[in-house]
Amino acid sequence: MKSDTQLRTDVLAELDWDPAIKAGTVGVTAKEGVVTLTGHLGSHAEKLAAERAAQRVQGVKALAVEITVKLPAGDERTDADIARAVEHALEWNVLVPNGKIKPMVEAGWVTLNGEVEWEYQGSAAENAVRRLMGVTGVSNLVKISPRVHAAEVEKKLREALARQAQRESDRIQISVDGSKVALRGSVHSFAESYAVQNAAWSVPGVTSVENDLVVLD
């Protein structure tokens, strides 16, 4: 187990090693594995880089971030400018569904609201805006609301099984709870079990697959 002194030294070294961070403006304290970062940096992206650098260091049990974003002279943008940039960034990102996420900007802080069907879409929206010039922070309040119906999921899964694992489809019981699928029954091999599982994952809107299929000897 590292001492607090060694842990602080390692975090400082990691910050200094990362070219995305101006490490000289970040203060580091360590106590019983809890590391606190203080100071100010010139962008939200740089702040995130500092957080990730500290998290990479072995021995860090918890991280407290007290870094503020202080934009350099000339990098300031009005909220209207930032809002337009955010809108364009979301519009041009192919992973973000058009019109589903509504941004709001206040004092450089971007708040993302809306609903999407997949987690990666909300993450893509956050990634698209947090490195924009003038952004001081991002709150991702986007909700994941898969648009699925149990009957539709089961129908699509049965169709997929007919294509991919026809021999097994009659021995498989499918239960659907919201966007979660449970598979029960028997198959002849692990390969067939994986094929059925992959077929379930291929159905749009499915967020969880519980594979309880038994492989027969």
Side-chain angles (χ1 to χ4, degrees), residues 7-8 10-12 14-15 21 26-39 41 46-67:
L7 187 58
R8 177 179 180 274
D10 288 351
V11 171
L12 285 170
E14 189 69 16
L15 292 170
I21 306 166
V26 179
V28 179
T29 60
K31 185 176 182 180
E32 298 178 354
V34 178
V35 171
T36 301
L37 305 180
T38 59
L41 290 169
E46 195 175 1
K47 178 182 176 182
L48 287 173
E51 294 174 12
R52 290 174 178 173
Q55 291 169 342
R56 288 195 298 265
V57 176
Q58 185 177 3
V60 174
K61 298 178 180 178
L63 182 65
V65 182
E66 299 177 3
I67 295 173

Side-chain angles (χ1 to χ4, degrees), residues 31-205:
K31 185 176 182 180
E32 298 178 354
V34 178
V35 171
T36 301
L37 305 180
T38 59
H40 65 268
L41 290 169
S43 69
H44 183 57
E46 195 175 1
K47 178 182 176 182
L48 287 173
E51 294 174 12
R52 290 174 178 173
Q55 291 169 342
R56 288 195 298 265
V57 176
Q58 185 177 3
V60 174
K61 298 178 180 178
L63 182 65
V65 182
E66 299 177 3
I67 295 173
T68 58
V69 176
K70 185 177 181 182
L71 300 175
D75 284 354
E76 299 93 342
R77 295 291 186 272
T78 67
D79 287 345
D81 289 337
I82 296 172
R84 282 191 290 270
V86 168
E87 182 180 358
H88 291 153
L90 296 177
E91 180 182 353
W92 282 78
N93 192 311
V94 295
L95 299 181
V96 178
N98 187 35
K100 297 297 184 181
I101 297 178
K102 306 299 181 184
M104 181 181 68
V105 182
E106 184 176 357
W109 194 284
V110 179
T111 301
L112 301 175
N113 290 285
E115 292 187 359
V116 295
E117 296 184 35
W118 302 92
E119 187 277 335
Y120 79 84
Q121 295 170 326
S123 296
E126 181 178 343
N127 291 334
V129 305
R130 64 188 180 188
R131 292 180 173 85
L132 296 176
M133 184 176 293
V135 171
T136 58
V138 179
S139 295
N140 189 348
L141 305 182
V142 176
K143 297 178 181 178
I144 312 300
S145 301
R147 296 181 178 179
V148 294
H149 302 284
E152 181 181 359
V153 170
E154 183 170 356
K155 177 177 179 292
K156 289 184 179 295
L157 181 50
R158 286 293 180 190
E159 292 172 351
L161 289 178
R163 296 190 302 271
Q164 302 175 31
Q166 185 174 10
R167 187 175 70 162
E168 311 301 329
S169 60
D170 292 338
R171 293 196 305 274
I172 296 172
Q173 295 83 52
I174 301 170
S175 61
V176 182
D177 181 10
S179 62
K180 300 178 181 180
V181 174
L183 303 172
R184 294 177 177 82
S186 60
V187 293
H188 285 95
S189 68
F190 284 107
E192 290 174 340
S193 174
Y194 293 139
V196 174
Q197 179 176 304
N198 290 336
W201 275 117
S202 71
V203 178

